Amino acid sequence: MTETLLPHDVTNAKKDPAANYSLVSVINHWLGALAILVMAITYQFELHSTHLSLGILLALPLIWRVLLRLSRGFPRTPDQHPTISFLERLIIIGLLTAILLLAITGLLIPLLSGTQYNIFNLVVWTAPYSGSPAALEITLSIHKYSAMALLPLFVLHLAAFTRHAFFNKNGNTLRMLKPLRGGK
């Protein structure tokens, strides 16, 4: 009888493309994290016009970031209990879902409210739609709750990072710092 190798049993996993991220994914991850941080800061400090302008500019790259991750799939999980792997993957999917919903609803809010799209007063246009109060209310709620979900999901993501970096010491944390050709 032959022995079946599980994904984490692959020898020399640090050089295994299926267990690592590509350069595009690493850059995309950090630029996405920076974009979310900037959007959170502009919202927190009530810089509404800056938040709207940056949101319009960053929405499509953030949508692309999520779709790229989903199309490439996720790297193989490290050698750990399957429940932990499942929970960590669920956190990442939650983060990606929140980012996608924020970007899409952020683009829809000016349209549904009948207000202008305004990018730093350099480019201004109004969509030819008068708005819909019911659709706007739903969109604003989705935007609000997606934003509220980011902080706890980020804290859980950071906790998983900390666990891998300081307790497991399995090199898993280096995947977002050292890309691998052919990685996910």
Side-chain angles (χ1 to χ4, degrees), residues 9-173:
D9 293 329
V10 175
T11 56
N12 206 2
K14 289 181 183 177
K15 300 216 185 280
D16 176 19
N20 289 284
Y21 290 98
S22 68
L23 179 61
V24 171
S25 292
V26 170
I27 291 170
N28 208 3
H29 174 270
W30 293 111
L31 288 178
L34 180 62
I36 296 298
L37 178 64
V38 167
M39 292 303 295
I41 290 169
T42 59
Y43 179 79
Q44 198 64 33
F45 286 100
E46 298 182 7
L47 304 170
H48 300 296
S49 63
T50 303
H51 184 80
L52 177 64
S53 296
L54 288 173
I56 293 168
L57 292 173
L58 295 173
L60 290 179
L62 286 170
I63 291 169
W64 178 75
R65 185 244 183 285
V66 171
L67 295 178
L68 183 70
R69 171 55 37 230
L70 294 176
S71 70
R72 286 182 173 226
F74 297 92
R76 185 179 332 216
T77 58
D79 186 14
Q80 61 188 4
H81 194 279
T83 304
I84 299 293
S85 293
F86 173 76
L87 292 173
E88 288 177 352
R89 186 61 41 87
L90 198 59
I91 292 165
I92 292 171
I93 290 170
L95 281 167
L96 292 172
T97 302
I99 292 167
L100 183 64
L101 289 173
L102 281 166
I104 291 170
T105 57
L107 286 176
L108 288 175
I109 289 170
L111 173 72
L112 296 174
S113 64
T115 59
Q116 293 180 327
Y117 286 88
N118 184 339
I119 303 174
F120 299 111
N121 291 323
L122 299 171
V123 178
V124 180
W125 76 93
T126 304
Y129 180 71
S130 61
S132 165
L136 176 61
E137 186 177 328
I138 291 167
T139 304
L140 285 170
S141 293
I142 292 169
H143 196 76
K144 173 186 170 184
Y145 291 117
S146 296
M148 289 171 57
L150 278 180
L151 182 59
L153 287 167
F154 170 73
V155 168
L156 290 169
H157 187 56
L158 195 57
F161 169 86
T162 303
R163 185 171 105 16
H164 285 289
F166 299 108
F167 299 106
N168 293 8
K169 298 180 183 176
N170 57 11
N172 193 49
T173 54

